[in-house]
Amino acid sequence: MRSFQVADFNAPLKEVERPTPQPSGTQVLIKVKAAGVCHSDLHIWEGGYDLGHGRKPLSLKDRGVSLPLTMGHETVGEIVAFGPDVKASDKADLKVGDVALAYPWLGCGKCETCLGGDENMCVVKPNSLGVYCDGGYADYMTVPHPKYLLNLKGLDPLTAAPYACSGVTTYSALKKVESAFNTPIVIFGAGGLGLMALSLLKAMGGKGAIVVDIDAKKREAAEKAGALATVDGKAPDALEQLAKKAGGPIRAVIDLVGNAATTQLGFDCLTKGGKLVIVGLFGGGAPWALPLIPIKAITIQGSYVGNLRETQELLDLVRSKKIAPIPVTPMPLAKANEALVDLQKGKLVGRAILTP
């Protein structure tokens, strides 16, 4: 099998050939059909996060990410084989030949958080596929247990792959602001996550969103995807534009970018009692005047991907509401480097999907 690995941070991915793994224990072997190229992959490739305020960057090596690593946490694959310890009850509705989405946000599986169904929040030993262990930038991949494979039941692998990250990430963030769905919310970022958020917001019964992005092409894509309005985040009157286009108090902001400029504008546009949910990991330092947090009674909440239950809820929602997929750009697995560079330079609209 072929895989493309991060051998050194900030260096081109290395093509590696090795024997196709055989599943052991409760593992499941899948033949990769689609692997999304996510902005989080850029941070892994670059080796860390900018924390702003002159702080030392947050090193992924210090967080337990070891090299070489095969990235890819948005993976759809065809089930090839089950490990010898997989019981009939473990397989649920899965069999060899089925096409499934791999839930990647794994933890230790034993702590109170994991046993409560929130493996994505595990602090004991995170084991996320494509982050702490090998993922989908490859011909084949092993998944630790059948419960982490969600049968697509006819959904297109290319457009379903992003549900493992951009999909469940935006779904989980939207659930955190459901109380504001009767008014327009504000979404920062019109990339893959932003376009996904617009589709999901409509399906979840929200009134709609005003989308902020500095890229005119991405704002245009957001308008085509159903945004109520768009705003150029670099415009000197961006705050005034948001107030005018909202037509009333703004009670919720979802920031899918996560830099000092977006979080400042997001904070400033909120009414008293509003909520700012930060999802993006672009980097930088918090810009807010601290007294304004209690004066405006603002809630600032982080949102990190989503759990297995939310991912299944998302797939059910996609089927029941027939949610239109976000734009995707299929690319051969051999162009993994090119896809990362295009994403780094902001050239992609929607999601690049590697197809081994």
Side-chain angles (χ1 to χ4, degrees), residues 124-267:
V124 176
K125 193 180 189 306
N127 284 304
S128 302
L129 304 179
V131 181
Y132 295 100
C133 52
D134 287 342
Y137 286 18
D139 294 321
Y140 292 87
M141 184 177 90
T142 56
V143 177
H145 193 280
K147 69 180 178 181
Y148 301 119
L149 287 169
L150 306 178
N151 198 325
L152 288 186
K153 298 178 180 176
L155 292 176
D156 181 1
L158 288 180
T159 56
Y163 293 137
C165 182
S166 63
V168 73
T169 295
T170 50
Y171 178 71
S172 186
L174 285 164
K175 287 183 69 174
K176 293 175 173 65
V177 297
E178 276 186 300
S179 62
F181 275 8
N182 61 334
T183 60
I185 68 170
V186 172
I187 294 173
F188 283 81
L193 273 76
L195 300 180
M196 183 78 73
L198 288 170
S199 296
L200 294 179
L201 177 60
K202 182 179 179 181
M204 294 167 74
K207 186 169 183 178
I210 301 163
V211 176
V212 182
D213 202 293
I214 61 175
D215 187 313
K217 288 184 179 179
K218 291 181 179 178
R219 292 198 301 274
E220 182 181 347
E223 288 167 4
K224 288 180 179 177
L228 298 175
T230 59
V231 172
D232 181 353
K234 282 190 173 179
D237 64 340
L239 185 60
E240 290 76 11
Q241 285 190 50
L242 280 170
K244 182 178 180 181
K245 293 179 179 182
I250 296 171
R251 296 167 51 208
V253 171
I254 296 178
D255 185 353
L256 302 172
V257 179
N259 65 27
T262 57
T263 51
Q264 180 71 71
L265 184 55
F267 182 93

Side-chain angles (χ1 to χ4, degrees), residues 30 32-36 72-77 100-103 135-137 141 161 164:
I30 62 172
V32 177
K33 297 180 75 70
H73 55 264
E74 295 184 345
T75 310
V76 169
L101 178 72
Y103 175 77
Y137 286 18
M141 184 177 90

